[in-house]
Amino acid sequence: MLWYRTPEKIYFKRGSLGIACREFKDVYNKKRAFIVTDKFLYYSGFTKEVTKYLDDMGIQHATFFDVEPNPSIDTARAGAEAMRVFQPDLIIAVGGGSPIDAAKIMWVLYEHPEVVFEDLAMRFMDIRKRIEKFPHMGDKAYFCAIPTTSGTGSEVTPFAVITDTRNHIKYPLADYELLPKMAIIDPDLTMNTPPGLTAASGVDALTHALEALASIMASDYTNGTAREAARLILKYLPSAYKNGAKDVKAREEMANASCMAGIAFANAFLGVCHSMAHKLGSYHNIAHGVANGMLINEVIKYNCSEAPIKMGTFSQYKYPQGLKRYSELADYIGLGGSTPIAKVENLLKAIDKLKDEVKIPKTIKDAGIKEEDFLKTLDKMCEDAFDDQCTGANPRYPLIKEIKEMFLNAYYGKKTTLKAK
């Protein structure tokens, strides 16, 4: 059996925010809303776009705006304590991945203060079969996520990443109980995103689509959303980056593509590119989307092997399909090519062209990481990436030495040949 899980409601299109917010009163009869965001968005007035509707409906509200870029468990506990004092029946997360992730953890701690956080963070092979069962969510508060960037897809995923700053551990939590009940994708909130953030978050969304497409847990349902998300990003990200709010169409399509890519990887999961990007980012302070962008071409070439040393293990995945799925994406986008290899080569060229247009560094070295510093951390990054939760869904199960080779190729920009063997 496979599955396809999404929030109960996803609202999208420009101007959808105000219409969707009416449901808090008209459909759910909510009385007290707790908003979670970060300082920048709070002081920039983004939350006022929500609170004006709450005020009109007579819904009382409080705002927690202390979420940091890599939210900590201490912040999540502080937010949960503020929730316990305020007693909301509605939680609204406004922002990028950090406020939404933090709000998910606050939600759990608010509804179930008895849970042991570290138990919920225990690893798993199948998200539906866990040693520690996640508690049922939504009994005390309804959860709505409103993204202000086009990239993370957190508004439609069952994932949250939180950091233990004392022990320097990042906990990736995953369970479908963490799915928001409602997501509101209003492109008006993303119109003035700075170019650098537009590029990094857009390439992150593209990587979500590409990894979900190749995953051993991909299905006909996820492939459709992943393919269309990738097509939209390759077409519209350059203009969203260059023209910002002047190209409303590009902003809207990027908002849609980010959400669709999120839906795809919420059900098919990701792969070794994200595993490597997590470690490259944490060891060398590189933005997550930029790290993915510098690694994804190497991972695509790696995943095209039709006779890998080790293959990802899942009962529904019978034989290597990376080359087939990437070439089908090239066909879908209309990139041309007479053989599967030629089609994937054209896909790689299209990705390179996109990265050039949005100023993603070609290599890790170009990102300003000194060779000495990179090599000093390389072995540890490889071990940690192998052990990352995302690696298990990759179609080709990597050896640590293969991860090291991909890291080195991505650092030096070594030209490698796409091979099916």
Side-chain angles (χ1 to χ4, degrees):
M1 183 186 80
L2 288 172
W3 62 89
Y4 194 77
R5 301 284 297 275
T6 68
E8 293 170 2
K9 297 181 178 182
I10 301 174
Y11 292 106
F12 55 97
K13 298 292 284 185
R14 291 187 68 199
S16 60
L17 178 63
I19 299 169
C21 282
R22 290 178 195 163
E23 291 203 0
F24 299 149
K25 182 72 172 179
D26 297 344
V27 176
Y28 300 107
N29 196 30
K30 297 303 180 184
K31 308 290 187 184
R32 300 172 70 81
F34 191 92
I35 299 168
V36 179
T37 190
D38 60 35
K39 283 186 171 67
F40 173 79
L41 293 172
Y42 178 77
Y43 287 115
S44 298
F46 275 81
T47 54
K48 290 180 180 178
E49 295 298 314
V50 177
T51 58
K52 67 183 180 184
Y53 297 116
L54 300 178
D55 289 335
D56 288 344
M57 294 181 287
I59 297 176
Q60 297 182 54
H61 54 84
T63 302
F64 182 93
F65 53 85
D66 287 335
V67 177
E68 59 268 62
N70 292 299
S72 68
I73 185 60
D74 290 338
T75 297
R77 285 178 173 139
E81 180 58 33
M83 287 181 183
R84 279 191 282 274
V85 172
F86 185 72
Q87 288 294 302
D89 55 8
L90 170 64
I91 297 168
I92 304 173
V94 179
S98 294
I100 296 175
D101 280 7
K104 290 177 182 178
I105 306 303
M106 293 176 194
W107 185 31
V108 173
L109 298 176
Y110 167 59
E111 294 213 353
H112 298 279
E114 76 283 358
V115 300
V116 178
F117 176 80
E118 290 75 12
D119 290 349
L120 298 183
M122 289 178 70
R123 300 174 182 214
F124 57 87
M125 290 187 67
D126 185 328
I127 193 172
R128 302 162 303 159
K129 302 170 184 175
R130 306 176 57 93
I131 296 173
E132 181 70 21
K133 186 175 175 61
F134 241 77
H136 182 264
M137 298 299 300
D139 293 330
K140 290 176 75 171
Y142 188 85
F143 191 100
C144 174
I146 304 172
T148 58
T149 62
S150 299
T152 70
S154 187
E155 70 276 7
V156 290
T157 72
F159 310 120
V161 178
I162 206 83
T163 302
D164 180 344
T165 52
R166 291 186 180 86
N167 298 308
H168 305 288
I169 299 172
K170 277 197 173 185
Y171 289 106
L173 272 70
D175 195 278
Y176 285 112
E177 290 294 340
L178 286 174
L179 262 182
K181 305 299 183 184
M182 179 189 293
I184 304 173
I185 319 301
D186 190 333
D188 283 342
L189 298 175
T190 70
M191 287 295 164
N192 296 306
T193 306
L197 180 56
T198 297
S201 57
V203 171
D204 188 23
L206 177 62
T207 310
H208 292 158
L210 292 168
E211 292 218 278
L213 189 67
S215 166
I216 61 174
M217 302 177 82
S219 68
D220 290 343
Y221 293 82
T222 60
N223 288 344
T225 47
R227 275 195 292 261
E228 179 62 4
R231 184 190 73 83
L232 290 171
I233 294 166
L234 287 167
K235 181 175 181 180
Y236 289 105
L237 179 56
S239 184
Y241 171 81
K242 294 172 187 172
N243 301 313
K246 294 178 183 177
D247 192 337
V248 173
K249 173 74 170 174
R251 284 294 194 195
E252 183 158 18
E253 295 293 9
M254 281 303 302
N256 292 337
S258 171
C259 183
M260 291 166 67
I263 291 170
F265 88 82
N267 292 279
F269 306 123
L270 296 166
V272 73
C273 184
H274 265 76
S275 300
M276 295 168 67
H278 289 154
K279 311 316 166 191
L280 183 62
S282 63
Y283 278 87
H284 296 287
N285 197 29
I286 294 176
H288 178 62
V290 174
N292 272 317
M294 295 187 295
L295 293 164
I296 187 60
N297 287 48
E298 283 300 317
V299 171
I300 288 174
K301 286 183 276 189
Y302 175 77
N303 284 342
C304 280
S305 172
E306 295 194 297
I309 296 174
K310 293 184 74 175
M311 191 175 81
T313 304
F314 186 58
S315 59
Q316 309 280 342
Y317 194 76
K318 298 179 181 179
Y319 51 85
Q321 297 180 42
L323 179 63
K324 175 177 179 289
R325 291 181 186 169
Y326 293 134
S327 64
E328 287 174 347
L329 174 61
D331 285 338
Y332 180 78
I333 298 173
L335 297 176
S338 57
T339 66
I341 290 288
K343 292 173 184 179
V344 178
E345 286 175 341
N346 287 340
L347 174 62
L348 291 167
K349 290 175 184 176
I351 295 169
D352 277 336
K353 181 174 182 291
L354 173 73
K355 291 190 290 187
D356 284 343
E357 289 180 299
V358 300
K359 304 293 190 294
I360 296 293
K362 288 183 172 62
T363 67
I364 299 171
K365 188 176 183 179
D366 291 341
I369 307 304
K370 294 180 181 178
E371 183 178 40
E372 179 184 0
D373 294 337
F374 176 76
L375 294 177
K376 188 185 300 182
T377 60
L378 180 58
D379 287 343
K380 191 69 171 72
M381 286 196 299
C382 293
E383 291 177 14
D384 290 352
F386 177 82
D387 202 33
D388 190 278
Q389 191 74 63
C390 290
T391 300
N394 201 69
R396 183 177 174 183
Y397 202 82
L399 306 179
I400 291 179
K401 68 177 183 180
E402 293 172 334
I403 294 175
K404 186 173 186 177
E405 183 179 2
M406 285 190 282
F407 263 133
L408 288 168
N409 290 343
Y411 183 85
Y412 294 109
K414 182 181 177 183
K415 299 297 181 183
T416 53
T417 305
L418 177 60
K419 297 178 182 178
K421 295 183 180 180

